Amino acid sequence: MITVLVVDDDFMVARIHRGFVDRVDGFEVVGTANSGDQAVAALTELRPDLVLLDLYLPDVFGIELIGRMRAVQPDVDILVITAAREADAVRGAVRQGVVNYLLKPFGFEDLRVRLQEYARRRASVPDEVTSQADVDRVLAPARPTVNRLPKGLSQETTDLVTAALRTTPDNLSAAECAEKVGISRVSARRYLEFLCTQGQAQVTLRYGTTGRPERRYHWRS
């Protein structure tokens, strides 16, 4: 079992990410932290194999925190999950040897693929390296995963609908989603139903006194 520490300044987001990780076979979240100081303390106590690290923390920028965490636990692996799109942030993370860099917002499948690739690389290291082939197997990139959206759906709008759903505390209808995103109700429902087929959202029915029940969508945490 690969143990994971989730570090994010937003406790609700941390809970969502924890739910994502716990849905992936072979991974277990052993703790969460909402600041750099909390992350270092949790690392000292829990000794996780992997840290899911947000860069925007209230007391330190995540790139700077990586060095502090490695001082506590030199062999800990870091997977960055962040909204930071600046080239300097990406380059800094790569120089620090992170195992991956995942941009927010993202869905369960996005994280699952990266966790499974991390597990594959971790398991592929032999107890004894006897040839270059052993090294090449460890460093071999995973086959690219192609995410094909249904015809008529765009990645940009999918990201907007995903963000609207994730930031809604309870649930919302297609009409409410359409208003938030600025698209038609019919389009919003198509995107919401697509997210349901991907296992990222879930639909429930709200029954009224007359007419069809209303479909209500919520993000799966």
Side-chain angles (χ1 to χ4, degrees):
M1 187 69 72
I2 296 172
T3 56
V4 180
L5 172 68
V6 176
V7 181
D8 198 290
D9 68 320
D10 187 322
F11 76 94
M12 286 293 294
V13 172
R15 188 170 72 176
I16 291 171
H17 294 167
R18 178 172 193 148
F20 281 174
V21 174
D22 284 339
R23 289 168 60 190
V24 181
D25 290 340
F27 288 84
E28 177 187 16
V29 175
V30 293
T32 60
N34 305 121
S35 70
D37 287 344
Q38 288 181 19
V40 171
L43 201 69
T44 303
E45 177 185 357
L46 302 172
R47 314 296 293 184
D49 300 308
L50 177 67
V51 175
L52 300 192
L53 177 65
D54 182 23
L55 296 186
Y56 293 131
L57 299 172
D59 54 347
V60 65
F61 189 55
I63 299 298
E64 301 170 16
L65 180 62
I66 293 176
R68 289 172 56 190
M69 291 194 294
R70 292 251 169 83
V72 172
Q73 186 180 340
D75 62 347
V76 69
D77 289 318
I78 313 291
L79 194 163
V80 171
I81 47 174
T82 182
R85 288 169 164 78
E86 298 83 2
D88 286 346
V90 178
R91 282 193 291 263
V94 171
R95 283 195 294 267
Q96 292 281 3
V98 302
V99 299
N100 219 311
Y101 194 105
L102 182 57
L103 288 174
K104 297 179 179 179
F106 58 85
F108 168 68
E109 285 300 313
D110 298 314
L111 182 59
R112 180 188 64 80
V113 167
R114 286 158 179 82
L115 289 178
Q116 290 180 338
E117 168 60 8
Y118 167 73
R120 182 198 69 79
R121 284 177 179 260
R122 181 183 171 91
S124 66
V125 180
D127 293 332
E128 183 179 356
V129 176
T130 60
S131 68
Q132 181 64 44
D134 291 335
V135 178
D136 290 343
R137 276 192 293 272
V138 176
L139 298 179
R143 294 180 178 179
T145 300
V146 179
N147 180 22
R148 292 190 176 89
L149 291 169
K151 187 176 180 180
L153 302 190
S154 73
Q155 187 60 56
E156 292 79 6
T157 307
T158 301
D159 292 343
L160 290 173
V161 172
T162 298
L165 200 59
R166 290 184 63 183
T167 56
T168 300
D170 189 9
N171 56 52
L172 78 173
S173 66
E176 292 165 347
C177 179
E179 184 176 354
K180 277 176 172 279
V181 176
I183 57 178
S184 71
R185 182 187 60 81
V186 173
S187 293
R189 179 163 180 172
R190 285 192 64 199
Y191 282 97
L192 290 166
E193 292 292 340
F194 168 70
L195 292 175
C196 288
T197 66
Q198 300 302 297
Q200 297 171 257
Q202 189 169 342
V203 62
T204 56
L205 300 180
R206 176 185 291 176
Y207 291 88
T209 55
T210 60
R212 292 182 178 181
E214 182 183 35
R215 296 176 72 82
R216 307 287 302 183
Y217 302 86
H218 67 270
W219 190 255
R220 291 191 65 175
S221 58

